[in-house]
Amino acid sequence: MHLQAQGVTVRFGGLVAVDEVSLRLERGEILGLIGPNGAGKTTLVNVLSGFQRPLAGTIFVDERDCTGLPRHGFPRAGIVRTFQAVRLFRGLTVGENVEAGYVAQGLGRAQARRRALEILGELRLADKAHHVAAGLSYGEERRVGLARALAVNPRFLLLDEPAAGLAAAEADELRKVIVEVRSKYDCGVLVIEHNMALVMNLCERIQVLDSGKTIAAGTPAQIRSDARVRRAYLGPDALQ
Ligand SMILES: Nc1ncnc2c1ncn2[C@@H]1O[C@H](COP(=O)(O)OP(=O)(O)OP(=O)(O)O)[C@@H](O)[C@H]1O
Ligand SMILES: [Mg+2]
């Protein structure tokens, strides 16, 4: 099973934000999507998750064309995304935040609470269930965002800069959690990240965008040594 973008183009006025990009995410794999600021990464994820209609191109889940689906059709097709900035209800507890995700899926209150506690345990947040979300560290906040996304039981999980602002130890904790989530849910995970240590250690494959175009795709080792990637994006020393 796979999620696929084929020839996706998005324009904002005269700007071509995504320019005939194709991408394929297999269920069970972890794919990195990297590139400099403004490369089109978030816009592509917006298209893959139904938040943005492409000007051209097609989104498939296996052979099924999902391009024209309404926004809520995407989670139903198993595609769930997180945002660059976490959107928690800061006045509610961590447990209530996650519960809300399950209630939105149609679960009753008691069942939603049970599932929320279970998932918080999986994400090593069980002890935070009764804490107010406003008091969380960045790393904890990211994991709560992830817990909420998991309420949909995704087959394809799209994470937009999950490690932004995290210290190295927190980013590493997040890396372990993402690997566990992939195994437990057997989902494909697409990770947009600027944290190269995380990308290189986490992802099995990496696709690189620059100015809306794919400039490279391959294993971390291939990307690390790709001359075009180094030139366009990272500079000669950034991938050591
Ligand atoms: N809603 C919008 N209206 C107009 N231009 C937009 C819009 N969204 C994105 N853009 C532009 O499209 C281009 C791609 O933006 P996008 O957010 O996809 O980049 P990105 O790769 O996610 O960058 P970053 O690493 O900074 O998050 C940028 O030039 C951006 O300014
Ligand atoms: Mg972005």
Side-chain angles (χ1 to χ4, degrees):
M1 176 163 247
H2 62 270
L3 170 65
Q4 193 172 4
Q6 221 168 58
V8 166
T9 296
V10 177
R11 279 176 182 271
F12 297 112
L15 174 81
V16 186
V18 177
D19 194 357
E20 292 185 32
V21 171
S22 297
L23 174 152
R24 184 175 165 125
L25 175 67
E26 297 288 341
R27 193 167 179 185
E29 84 165 329
I30 303 181
L31 171 69
L33 183 62
I34 67 171
N37 293 119
K41 306 179 297 294
T42 296
T43 304
L44 181 59
V45 160
N46 287 345
V47 172
L48 283 166
S49 57
F51 281 77
Q52 168 84 50
R53 287 277 166 94
L55 180 68
T58 315
I59 302 302
F60 292 102
V61 172
D62 291 339
E63 306 314 314
R64 182 184 176 205
D65 183 345
C66 293
T67 323
L69 288 181
R71 193 180 286 191
H72 64 260
F74 281 74
R76 283 193 194 149
I79 304 163
V80 180
R81 58 92 55 89
T82 63
F83 293 88
Q84 229 164 316
V86 187
R87 301 173 179 180
L88 297 182
F89 302 112
R90 297 178 62 77
L92 300 185
T93 66
V94 168
E96 287 163 345
N97 263 282
V98 179
E99 232 175 275
Y102 286 102
V103 171
Q105 293 302 303
L107 262 63
R109 193 72 196 266
Q111 208 185 351
R113 176 160 301 175
R114 221 172 17 250
R115 284 294 293 135
L117 288 175
E118 211 173 286
I119 216 134
L120 287 170
E122 287 172 14
L123 297 182
R124 307 175 193 189
L125 287 165
D127 57 327
K128 299 286 178 190
H130 301 292
H131 290 220
V132 175
L136 296 176
S137 74
Y138 271 138
E140 290 161 351
E141 220 174 71
R142 294 312 156 97
R143 277 183 279 142
V144 176
L146 195 54
R148 275 215 312 216
L150 292 174
V152 179
N153 204 10
R155 289 180 290 180
F156 305 102
L157 185 60
L158 316 179
L159 307 176
D160 197 351
E161 299 197 27
L166 300 194
E170 282 190 315
D172 202 52
E173 179 79 358
L174 183 72
R175 180 183 62 77
K176 290 181 195 148
V177 165
I178 292 172
V179 170
E180 286 168 11
V181 162
R182 182 266 300 268
S183 305
K184 174 123 208 282
Y185 290 79
D186 188 27
C187 55
V189 184
L190 176 75
V191 187
I192 296 178
E193 253 308 326
H194 288 292
N195 179 331
M196 282 306 124
L198 180 71
V199 168
M200 295 293 165
N201 284 317
L202 175 65
C203 300
E204 286 131 10
R205 267 189 326 121
I206 297 172
Q207 183 161 338
V208 188
L209 295 186
D210 186 28
S211 302
K213 288 188 163 64
T214 299
I215 59 162
T219 63
Q222 287 166 339
I223 295 303
R224 209 183 269 124
S225 59
D226 187 294
R228 193 161 171 203
V229 174
R230 284 168 171 264
R231 237 188 350 264
Y233 174 35
L234 296 151
D237 303 319
L239 290 181
Q240 296 309 319

